[in-house]
DNA sequence: GTGAAAGCGCTAACAA
DNA sequence: TTGTTAGCGCTTTCAC
């Protein structure tokens, strides 16, 4: 593998001129440029990025901390992030943290080790020591699941409003007992969604019943378990609101196994609008999130941070949409 | 941010000793080691990985080329790869190529640019110029969708045998007209699976009917379209074998919309065994693949290649399993 | 516009 | 066991 010296020798110029031709060609005479380019070609030269980065103190890498890659929602976020990163000449260092703080911290440290220029965290945990003063915090953006009152820029959804909208929708359909299957207890997402759920009930003059809330962890299985608890109640809910589509699909399986029909016997709603939501039977009423946009926005903001450009708004809120499909319908009269 | 010289000064030793303490502590006296470690602590020193890598000509990065991150099967593969990489002290540079060869080539070149030590390609395309002699090919492993007769080490499934097993299963259930919804035309996977399908038919003395084969692209929608074509036939198949679960779930939706039942009116089979396969209605009969193992194995082999260790077997074949659920049943007598 | 030369932070060969 | 020292390949002054 050839190096810059080899190219310089071939072109009959100095290494500095080769470097300039590659980084800022406009500062080199066209004829010199051509000779250098010819030499680059001839030597099939590729700059050693390690050396470039080492010297210029920029890695072009962005760390992205993902709680669960296998979750289709996050897969879409990553996909959006990757596109934006690539467009901006950055690469994505992927880390499946499984929600473990030690792993998150370890990967975030890659920034300190000059292995990455910034961090995107998709979970509500600050991987940097709280003792670090805000001023010399490395570039980091917190997206999707956002730390309430955190010190980093965020990109989030108004989860309170989204959960409220869905609950209102179910109430408008005549439902009075609405079960809620929550996500992981550690996630502020679920706190916000619970608030939205409560707000809608209150607004409609309905009493909040703690028995109608059960805890899950965003997996298919959690939805199944949650639904089986709900269905076992003597006065069971007529509608079930799951905090993500995976759990809703898990719940659907359980409901069917009990010989009940959706939506005739019980209405069902999800959250996220994963591709599968439109393909299950019946198609799922859910909250659509712009997953790719989370990734794109996060990368854009992070790069601004890295370039020390001013950020127009530190807390971006992306829009949601209530997507009505067949899984939620008017409550049957008894 | 402090550097090695600062630490050396603090510890009253040379930079070489600091470097040694960090890389091979056993070559340093315990008491020296302690002094160095104390100095490291005091200076809150973190080695500049860019410099380390630049100097030692190892990046610790592995590029992984993924056709579609949003596909749950690949998400599982990535997850396995990431775990193995992390365990071995490597990081994963993720690239969502969308199956585009130019993007694949571009990212594979990161190896030439000393930005990564090796490449994992999950698609049947060689991102390196065929002109490169095998001897000085960068470390690369080809997994999942494998180039037939390619020059790189591979980790694959016996797709011929798997498709044959599934087709045999459907035949054993009494089906004589079995529709096949294929994946992307460019993929050798689909060629192998077609072979297996044909082999099973032949073995059972059934004629191969080209009208029963239709082309898809592994997406939910392709399954829907494929099924609608099959169902429109005058002499429609009594079983449908889809080359992945996503397409099977798409087909399921179409079948139901036509007012038909699975498996009473038509049997359905998929491939991959994604988590959702067990949660659709009815649960999907499918071929289970060890997705995470693909990622793990790929990383392990790649690291052997990087370390120039001999590879026990260049072409690993991972086992599949025929998972019988309710979507495929005995053909109803007419 | 171009070249000479210093040096980024570290590792490794060699010497002591 | 430890220190000295020469670079790794490149960018970036600073002269010319």
């Amino acid at each position: 593998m050839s190096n810059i010296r080899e190219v310089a020798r071939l072109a009959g110029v100095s290494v500095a001129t080769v470097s300039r031709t590659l980084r800022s060609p406009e500062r080199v005479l066209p004829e010199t440029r051509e000779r250098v380019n010819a030499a680059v070609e001839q030597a099939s030269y590729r700059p050693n990025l390690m050396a470039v980065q080492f010297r210029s103190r920029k890695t072009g890498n962005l760390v992205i901390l993902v709680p669960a890659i296998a979750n289709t929602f996050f897969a879409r976020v990553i996909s959006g992030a990757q596109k934006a990163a690539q467009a901006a000449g950055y690469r994505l260092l992927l880390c499946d943290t499984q929600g473990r703080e030690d792993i998150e911290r370890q990967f975030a440290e890659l920034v300190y080790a000059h292995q990455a220029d910034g961090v995107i965290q998709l979970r509500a945990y600050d991987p940097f020591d709280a003792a670090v003063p805000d001023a010399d915090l490395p570039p980091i953006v917190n997206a999707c699941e956002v730390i309430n009152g955190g010190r980093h820029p965020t990109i989030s959804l108004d989860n309170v409003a989204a959960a409220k909208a869905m609950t209102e929708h179910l109430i408008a359909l005549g439902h009075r007992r609405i079960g809620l299957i929550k996500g992981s207890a550690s996630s502020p997402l679920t706190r916000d969604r619970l608030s939205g759920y409560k707000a809608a009930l209150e607004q409609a003059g309905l009493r909040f019943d703690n028995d109608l809330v059960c805890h899950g962890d965003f997996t298919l299985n959690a939805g199944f378990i949650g639904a089986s608890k709900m269905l076992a109640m003597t006065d069971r809910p007529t509608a079930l609101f799951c905090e993500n589509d995976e759990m809703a699909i898990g719940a659907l399986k359980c409901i069917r196994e009990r010989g009940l029909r959706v939506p005739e016997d019980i209405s069902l709603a999800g959250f996220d609008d994963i591709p599968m939501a439109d393909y299950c039977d019946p198609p799922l009423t859910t909250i659509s999130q712009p997953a790719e946009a989370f990734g794109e926005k996060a990368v854009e903001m992070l790069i601004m941070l890295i370039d020390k450009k001013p950020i127009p708004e530190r807390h971006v809120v992306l829009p949601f949409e209530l997507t009505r499909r067949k899984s939620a319908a008017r409550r049957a009269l008894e």
Side-chain angles (χ1 to χ4, degrees), chain A residues 25 28-30 35 62-63 77 85 101 130 142 145 166 180 192 217-218 228 237 241 277 282 290 294-295 307 314 331:
Chain A
V28 173
L29 275 187
R35 260 192 316 167
L62 306 177
V63 171
V77 176
E101 302 183 353
N142 184 200
E145 192 190 291
M166 180 60 86
L180 180 69
D192 290 350
D217 61 1
F218 292 128
S228 67
F241 178 17
F294 276 103
D307 294 342
R314 276 179 72 82
R331 183 177 65 137

Side-chain angles (χ1 to χ4, degrees), chain A residues 97-163:
Chain A
T97 63
Q98 303 143 70
R100 279 180 47 193
E101 302 183 353
D102 55 331
I103 299 183
E104 292 174 324
R105 260 181 275 117
Q106 182 193 326
F107 271 80
E109 295 234 322
L110 287 176
V111 174
Y112 287 129
H114 299 270
Q115 176 69 17
D117 300 332
V119 177
I120 295 171
Q121 163 67 304
L122 302 182
R123 211 172 65 91
Y125 170 72
D126 186 349
F128 293 116
D129 197 322
V132 179
D134 290 13
D136 42 61
L137 212 52
I140 176 170
V141 170
N142 184 200
C144 294
E145 192 190 291
V146 152
I147 307 168
N148 287 332
R151 54 183 178 162
H152 308 309
T154 62
I155 297 152
S156 60
L157 201 83
D158 187 342
N159 281 287
V160 180

Side-chain angles (χ1 to χ4, degrees), chain A residues 79-318:
Chain A
S79 183
Q82 214 259 308
K83 268 174 216 153
Q86 200 187 331
Y90 280 82
R91 287 162 296 280
L92 230 49
L93 278 173
L94 177 74
C95 172
D96 190 355
T97 63
Q98 303 143 70
R100 279 180 47 193
E101 302 183 353
D102 55 331
I103 299 183
E104 292 174 324
R105 260 181 275 117
Q106 182 193 326
F107 271 80
E109 295 234 322
L110 287 176
V111 174
Y112 287 129
H114 299 270
Q115 176 69 17
D117 300 332
V119 177
I120 295 171
Q121 163 67 304
L122 302 182
R123 211 172 65 91
Y125 170 72
D126 186 349
F128 293 116
D129 197 322
V132 179
D134 290 13
D136 42 61
L137 212 52
I140 176 170
V141 170
N142 184 200
C144 294
E145 192 190 291
V146 152
I147 307 168
N148 287 332
R151 54 183 178 162
H152 308 309
T154 62
I155 297 152
S156 60
L157 201 83
D158 187 342
N159 281 287
V160 180
K164 182 156 179 271
M166 180 60 86
T167 311
E168 281 171 355
H169 174 58
L170 294 172
I171 293 172
L173 287 171
H175 297 282
R176 293 293 169 268
R177 289 183 62 73
I178 301 169
L180 180 69
I181 301 185
K182 299 198 7 148
S184 319
S186 65
S187 160
L189 242 55
T190 75
R191 234 171 306 156
D192 290 350
R193 293 183 188 167
L194 180 64
S195 305
Y197 167 84
K198 283 182 176 171
L201 290 184
E202 187 173 352
Q203 185 181 282
L206 295 171
R207 191 180 58 82
F208 168 73
D209 180 353
N210 201 43
D211 289 348
L212 288 177
V213 175
C214 93
H215 296 265
D217 61 1
F218 292 128
T219 62
L220 288 161
N221 189 47
F224 189 96
I225 306 281
S228 67
K229 280 186 202 153
M230 294 281 182
L231 296 182
M233 296 175 66
T234 46
D235 186 15
R236 65 170 161 80
T238 63
L240 224 49
F241 178 17
C242 302
E243 287 194 359
N244 78 347
D245 290 345
E246 261 94 351
M247 292 199 297
I249 292 172
L252 184 58
K253 183 185 168 92
C254 174
I255 294 169
R256 265 195 314 253
E257 286 189 1
R258 297 285 183 285
L260 297 172
R261 295 159 306 163
V262 172
E264 292 83 352
D265 299 314
I266 185 162
S267 279
L268 191 62
F271 205 112
D272 285 352
D273 195 15
I274 61 175
M276 206 60 78
D278 195 26
Y279 280 84
C280 55
D281 181 33
L284 212 56
T285 286
T286 187
I287 297 287
S288 303
Q289 292 202 59
E292 283 86 3
F294 276 103
E296 287 165 26
K297 261 279 169 220
V299 166
E300 282 168 21
M301 272 176 81
L302 186 56
I303 293 176
M304 284 179 173
L305 239 42
I306 291 168
D307 294 342
K308 299 196 190 306
K309 286 197 192 127
I311 302 213
E313 33 175 0
R314 276 179 72 82
H315 299 286
V316 175
V317 176
L318 261 30

